[in-house]
């Protein structure tokens, strides 16, 4: 257990008056007070400190900042010697023009969740794709590569997952959404990479076939054994409808929900009732955190410690 008291959630004024000291990490969101990132990263930093006392100087805080406050906050993070920052809603897209270097995968996702202040250079990464790949592998015994994937939804979460499916070499990716135009836009993006990048071997190295379709057509379209990923917001609220007609899907699917709270959405319950293997988004949260911390520290991080910290964190931090 930690000897250090948890840091409070801070605002921009608190960041302005922060005294320099130690090596700082943080998560930034609006809102951020329910984030599991602080307990998860603090537990991992403690385990690193047990091996190397230098990590006792590292801290992980939380900042609740509005979108318009982000540019000043980034300048302050630089000035006050922060090493890394996780970004969550609504900052992942708006941060892009503020970066010196954007990792190519993050650029394809058009979203950054990990800032790395490396010397004078601010680099942006996206560890969400790595998180989903590792979580799927952990839950179902194999990752996204070589398998058919049905991705439900066409918001920011779906865009990152779609890029990762192509990066990992899914055999076929169907992006299904209520609003077909949004699914078509993501499909075009992952087929061809960001605007101006005509080298499709870079954006789609395994030549994954990518299709967009209205959600109601998906069950009759995908083959048996499809990995179905819920990247819609359906399931966050009690009483939400299912994101797809589960009863009409073929045999031997696996269900992955990017939602982790509630731990079992109606989508996962329906999959379990049909005998499919199911997994919620906790593994994705944990593994994106592992990747971020590895970027900042250069050390391997134990995912089990981070998962355990999420599972034992107070429900309302
Ligand atoms: P995020 O950035 O977290 O992915 P988002 O951009 O708000 O969130 O996307 C939410 C996704 O859930 C969208 O795909 C949305 O479908 P539309 O693009 O058609 O709006 C989907 N979604 C939300 N409520 C829905 C509902 N009642 N029925 C079907 N899809 C829904």
């Amino acid at each position: 257990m930690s000897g250090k008291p948890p840091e409070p959630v801070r605002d921009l004024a608190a960041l302005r008056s922060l005294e320099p000291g130690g090596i700082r990490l943080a998560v930034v969101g609006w809102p951020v007070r329910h984030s599991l990132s602080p307990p998860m990263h603090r537990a991992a930093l403690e385990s690193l400190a047990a091996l190397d006392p230098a990590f006792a100087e590292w801290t992980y805080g939380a900042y609740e900042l509005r979108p318009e406050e982000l540019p000043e906050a980034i300048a302050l993070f630089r000035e006050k010697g922060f090493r890394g920052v996780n970004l969550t809603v609504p900052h992942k897209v708006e941060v892009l023009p503020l970066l010196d270097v954007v990792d190519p995968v993050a650029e394809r996702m058009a979203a950054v969740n990990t800032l790395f202040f490396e010397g004078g250079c601010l680099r942006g990464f996206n560890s969400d794709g790595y998180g989903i790949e590792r979580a799927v592998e952990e839950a179902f015994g194999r990752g996204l590569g070589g398998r058919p994937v049905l991705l439900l939804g066409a918001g920011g979460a779906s865009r990152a997952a779609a890029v990762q499916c192509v990066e990992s070499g899914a055999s076929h990716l169907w992006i299904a959404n209520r609003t077909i135009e949004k699914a078509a836009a993501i499909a075009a993006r992952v087929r061809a990479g960001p605007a101006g990048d005509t080298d499709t071997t870079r954006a789609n190295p395994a030549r994954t076939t990518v299709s967009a379709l209205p959600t109601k057509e998906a069950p009759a379209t995908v083959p048996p054994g499809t990995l179905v990923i819920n990247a819609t917001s359906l399931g966050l609220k009690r009483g939400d409808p299912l994101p797809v007609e589960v009863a009409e899907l073929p045999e031997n699917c696996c269900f992955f929900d990017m939602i982790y709270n509630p731990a079992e959405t109606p989508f996962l319950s329906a999959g379990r009732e049909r005998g499919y293997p199911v997994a919620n988004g906790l593994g994705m949260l944990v593994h994106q955190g592992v990747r971020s911390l590895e970027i900042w520290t250069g050390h391997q991080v134990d995912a089990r410690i981070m998962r355990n910290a999420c599972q034992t964190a107070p429900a309302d931090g």
Side-chain angles (χ1 to χ4, degrees):
M1 274 283 99
S2 174
K4 291 180 198 163
E7 292 181 41
V9 173
R10 297 189 174 96
D11 61 9
L12 186 63
L15 176 59
R16 285 186 191 125
S17 57
L18 192 72
E19 296 292 334
I23 296 181
R24 293 182 188 275
L25 306 171
V27 58
V28 173
W30 180 270
V32 85
R33 52 194 69 243
H34 299 286
S35 172
L36 288 171
S37 291
M40 180 169 83
H41 283 278
R42 286 171 193 153
L45 288 171
E46 268 181 48
S47 73
L48 289 171
L51 301 172
D52 179 348
F55 284 105
E57 297 300 309
W58 291 55
T59 56
Y60 192 102
Y63 289 84
E64 206 151 63
L65 302 175
R66 293 190 173 84
E68 63 273 20
E69 295 175 325
L70 193 63
E72 182 184 346
I74 298 251
L76 289 166
F77 288 138
R78 273 189 207 263
E79 188 185 307
K80 293 177 187 282
F82 277 65
R83 171 70 57 96
V85 168
N86 280 133
L87 297 172
T88 185
V89 175
H91 301 301
K92 292 184 185 187
V93 179
E94 282 70 14
V95 74
L96 282 161
L98 305 173
L99 303 173
D100 297 320
V101 180
V102 185
D103 175 73
V105 172
E107 195 177 350
R108 266 174 239 146
M109 291 172 177
V112 158
N113 78 333
T114 305
L115 303 182
F116 182 25
F117 297 88
E118 197 184 21
C121 181
L122 174 52
R123 297 178 184 276
F125 297 86
N126 194 315
S127 62
D128 287 332
Y130 172 85
I132 196 167
E133 166 68 23
R134 289 286 296 113
V136 165
E137 195 182 339
E138 202 169 70
F140 307 127
R142 53 186 283 224
L144 301 161
R147 68 192 321 184
V149 179
L150 169 60
L151 184 56
L152 305 169
S158 169
R159 189 171 60 227
V163 169
Q164 189 61 45
C165 285
V166 167
E167 278 287 310
S168 297
S171 55
H172 195 132
L173 171 64
W174 288 269
I175 305 167
N177 199 40
R178 172 178 64 178
T179 314
I180 179 68
E181 294 76 14
K182 286 166 69 181
I186 295 180
R189 180 176 190 96
V190 297
R191 270 189 219 111
D197 187 350
T198 50
D199 183 353
T200 51
T201 54
R202 192 161 45 229
N204 187 354
R207 299 247 173 251
T208 299
T209 316
V210 185
S211 322
L213 76 180
T215 307
K216 53 184 178 312
E217 290 176 17
T221 304
V222 300
T226 294
L227 168 65
V228 186
I229 299 174
N230 179 32
T232 74
S233 48
L234 293 174
L236 280 172
K237 294 197 302 290
R238 197 185 289 268
D240 274 348
L242 287 170
V244 68
E245 200 54 74
V246 171
E248 292 172 11
L249 282 163
E251 294 304 300
N252 298 323
C253 291
C254 293
F255 276 15
F256 186 90
D257 203 321
M258 291 172 76
I259 295 170
Y260 59 85
N261 185 17
E264 185 161 297
T265 57
F267 170 67
L268 293 189
S269 305
R272 208 162 38 80
E273 278 159 25
R274 280 185 60 106
Y276 298 148
V278 304
N280 70 22
L282 186 65
M284 179 177 170
L285 174 79
V286 167
H287 286 288
Q288 64 77 32
V290 166
R291 178 61 135 212
S292 295
L293 201 51
E294 288 178 351
I295 288 170
W296 299 324
T297 64
H299 280 59
Q300 274 208 317
V301 178
D302 188 341
R304 289 167 306 180
I305 289 169
M306 296 177 88
R307 178 185 292 271
N308 186 49
C310 291
Q311 286 166 333
T312 56
D316 192 350

